[in-house]
């Protein structure tokens, strides 16, 4: 049962106030937190369509004002739904530089590769100007250091992307920033090696400073299995996703 909206701030919907399972902050408390730019959708398909429209809008804005669009894609099935909607997008892929916000330490040919999944679903068809995979030869930390060097030389120093796309796991992770790992507190580096508690352990991931420096962040959350972590993230309980929900990121959700 959702908590009743707060009379003083009617705009604080159930999304902000949480549900009975999570003790909501008082309204003033929520007012102090950055309000999530939160858009709920009836279905994953509607979410993917809206996300593709936002992607194209950001791309055309960037190309018009800066001559190119720099974007970091994410792994996961939810972002993949959006990639399919971009196949016929009205945009100049010849002016797009593609990066990744996280990667498993496997080559693109591996079925678990985020770059491989995006290549097969989209990039092999639309042919962006350049794509910069996160995984190269060497240890995860060597890959992270090298990727940060590439970002600082190809994009800007410090690196500021036009758009960072993120998904969220059922445990509240974003990119490959998992609950309880020390890299959640990294405040200087832009890219780090991390360990995943499930699946392919060795990862390379953007840090929060890198994500939150972007001109635009779009978080896509879909699936009933994510509602609990999402609510907990809205309560500001320290889950990785909480840092994104209480920033200026756009959040599209369908449960
Ligand atoms: C990864 C992803 C990860 C993903 C979420 C959501 O490498 O695993 O980058 O952060 O975005 O786990 O994945 P789903 O959309 O498949 O739930």
């Amino acid at each position: 049962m959702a908590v009743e909206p707060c009379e003083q701030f009617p705009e604080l919907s159930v999304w902000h106030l949480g549900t009975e399972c999570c003790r909501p902050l008082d309204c003033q408390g929520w007012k102090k937190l950055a309000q999530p730019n939160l858009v709920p959708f009836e279905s994953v398909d509607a979410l993917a369509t809206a996300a593709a429209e936002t992607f194209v809008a950001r791309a055309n804005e960037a190309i018009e004002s800066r001559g190119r669009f720099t974007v970091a894609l994410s792994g996961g099935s939810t972002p993949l739904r959006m990639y399919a909607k971009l196949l016929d997008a009205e945009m100049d892929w010849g002016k797009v530089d593609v990066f990744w916000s996280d990667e498993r330490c496997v080559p693109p040919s591996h079925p678990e590769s985020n770059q491989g999944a995006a290549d097969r679903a989209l990039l092999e068809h639309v042919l962006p100007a350049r794509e910069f995979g996160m995984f190269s030869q060497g240890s995860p930390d060597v890959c992270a250091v090298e990727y940060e060097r590439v970002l600082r030389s190809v994009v800007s120093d410090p690196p500021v992307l036009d758009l960072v796309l993120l998904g969220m796991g059922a445990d509240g992770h974003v990119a490959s920033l998992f609950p309880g790992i020390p890299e959640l507190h990294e405040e200087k580096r832009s890219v780090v090696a991390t360990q995943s508690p499930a699946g392919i352990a060795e990862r390379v991931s953007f840090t929060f400073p890198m994500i939150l420096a972007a001109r635009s962040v779009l978080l896509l959350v879909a699936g009933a299995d994510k509602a609990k972590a999402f609510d907990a993230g809205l309560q500001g309980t320290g889950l990785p996703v909480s840092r994104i929900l209480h920033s200026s990121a756009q959040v599209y959700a369908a449960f």
Side-chain angles (χ1 to χ4, degrees):
M1 177 61 186
V3 172
E4 285 309 306
C6 164
E7 293 76 44
Q8 294 156 278
F9 304 107
E11 75 277 17
L12 289 185
S13 73
V14 67
W15 300 101
H16 301 90
L17 293 177
T19 58
E20 279 171 344
C21 75
C22 311
R23 194 172 51 77
L25 294 173
D26 64 75
C27 295
Q28 285 298 346
W30 275 111
K31 208 64 185 156
K32 283 193 210 92
L33 288 173
Q35 287 311 309
N37 298 324
L38 184 49
V39 182
F41 290 89
E42 290 298 317
S43 69
V44 184
D45 191 62
L47 179 152
T49 300
E53 289 166 357
T54 299
F55 183 102
V56 173
R58 293 284 175 277
N60 290 333
E61 283 162 16
I63 291 167
E64 191 177 328
S65 50
R66 286 180 295 280
R68 70 167 176 172
F69 177 50
T70 56
V71 58
L73 301 181
S74 170
S77 58
T78 312
L80 264 183
R81 295 284 293 260
M82 181 196 86
Y83 300 159
K85 306 258 184 192
L86 288 173
L87 285 167
D88 304 321
E90 289 286 313
M91 55 182 278
D92 183 355
W93 285 98
K95 295 206 170 67
V96 179
D97 284 341
V98 178
F99 302 85
W100 273 267
S101 50
D102 75 314
E103 184 57 277
R104 294 88 183 274
C105 291
V106 290
S109 56
H110 190 287
E112 291 283 314
S113 164
N114 290 341
Q115 179 180 3
D119 283 344
R120 289 185 289 275
L122 175 63
L123 302 179
E124 284 168 1
H125 308 284
V126 297
L127 304 179
R130 296 181 290 183
E131 64 176 85
F132 297 89
M134 268 187 152
F135 178 71
S136 52
Q137 293 311 317
S139 72
D141 196 55
V142 165
C143 293
V145 170
E146 172 57 14
Y147 207 69
E148 180 155 345
R149 188 195 64 75
V150 168
L151 284 163
R152 290 177 186 276
S153 61
V154 169
V155 179
S156 59
D157 191 356
V160 176
L161 293 171
D162 291 312
L163 173 65
V164 172
L165 188 66
L166 297 171
M168 186 197 88
D171 62 353
H173 80 257
V174 291
S176 282
L177 298 171
F178 299 94
I181 66 171
E183 292 79 13
L184 294 175
H185 309 295
E186 175 59 51
E187 290 301 330
K188 289 192 174 58
R189 295 176 63 183
S190 299
V191 188
V192 290
T194 69
Q195 286 281 321
S196 167
I200 292 180
E202 294 192 324
R203 305 289 187 100
V204 178
S205 179
F206 280 2
T207 59
F208 282 122
M210 175 67 202
I211 295 168
L212 297 173
R215 294 186 180 89
S216 184
V217 179
L218 178 58
L219 170 65
L220 308 180
V221 183
D225 61 327
K226 313 228 175 126
K228 198 163 169 54
F230 190 82
D231 257 353
L234 281 176
Q235 309 298 323
T237 58
L239 282 180
V241 70
S242 185
R243 286 276 302 257
I244 304 302
L245 291 176
H246 300 298
S247 73
S248 58
Q250 278 187 286
V251 182
Y252 291 177
F255 295 117

